[in-house]
Amino acid sequence: MALAFFCFFATLSLICNEIHACFVFVVAQTLEEPPYLTVGTDVSAKYRGAFCEAKIKTAKRLVKAKVTFKPSSSTAEVHDEHIRGVLKVGAVVEARNQDGIYQEATINKLTDASLYTVVFNDGDEKTLRRSSLCLKGARHFAESEASPLSAFSLV
């Protein structure tokens, strides 16, 4: 109950930044962010409808990549353990095809289907998907930047 009460008021004061953080997360996920999060990463985690500060305790990694094989231009979804190379959209890698042979391919899309167990500040734990997590640092702006939601006020 105390955590929910704290999160409610913390969320009210940070709601514009958190909405922007998740917006930035969705836009930047395929451009700049890693394809999965690691243990120890500080995040904002969704808890009973509010985003609260937490830290990743464990991660059951499951990253899928949609790839286009060369020269056939056929596409497939491949788990990251079957990819040799950098996990980044647009990267040319070697991916295992349906015949079990590694073949040159280009990554078109990455999907993080991992399960993350996070620990909140009060010690509570919850297992969440990546869609319920935002990188904690993503909500902070450079001083020269303005939030697209800065025109809206909670007061």
Side-chain angles (χ1 to χ4, degrees):
M1 176 78 176
L3 179 64
F5 181 76
F6 168 78
C7 287
F8 174 76
F9 285 103
T11 300
L12 283 178
S13 66
L14 297 173
I15 193 164
C16 286
N17 285 340
E18 293 297 349
I19 290 170
H20 178 74
C22 288
F23 173 77
V24 169
F25 168 76
V26 170
V27 171
Q29 182 178 4
T30 58
L31 301 176
E32 300 171 13
E33 290 190 10
Y36 57 91
L37 303 176
T38 57
V39 171
T41 302
D42 290 322
V43 294
S44 292
K46 195 169 190 178
Y47 184 81
R48 295 184 183 170
F51 279 90
C52 301
E53 292 183 4
K55 187 173 287 235
I56 295 176
K57 179 181 178 181
T58 64
K60 184 176 179 184
R61 188 170 123 184
L62 177 58
V63 178
K64 301 173 191 173
K66 184 174 183 181
V67 299
T68 301
F69 290 104
K70 296 178 182 176
S72 67
S73 295
S74 63
T75 62
E77 187 173 84
V78 181
H79 288 198
D80 67 325
E81 67 264 10
H82 301 297
I83 294 176
R84 296 177 184 157
V86 179
L87 287 178
K88 184 176 180 180
V89 173
V92 176
V93 297
E94 288 185 343
R96 196 166 85 176
N97 63 21
Q98 291 177 347
D99 298 328
I101 299 168
Y102 281 87
Q103 181 179 343
E104 188 175 325
T106 302
I107 297 176
N108 302 319
K109 180 181 177 182
L110 289 169
T111 303
D112 185 359
S114 305
L115 291 176
Y116 298 97
T117 300
V118 299
V119 179
F120 294 95
N121 292 345
D122 69 351
D124 282 353
E125 293 184 13
K126 186 164 177 141
T127 300
L128 301 165
R129 296 203 176 275
R130 174 82 179 257
S131 60
S132 294
L133 302 174
C134 292
L135 285 177
K136 188 174 166 186
R139 73 171 182 225
H140 301 291
F141 303 102
E143 289 184 39
S144 62
E145 293 182 46
S147 166
L149 301 174
S150 59
F152 300 101
S153 175
L154 296 176
V155 181

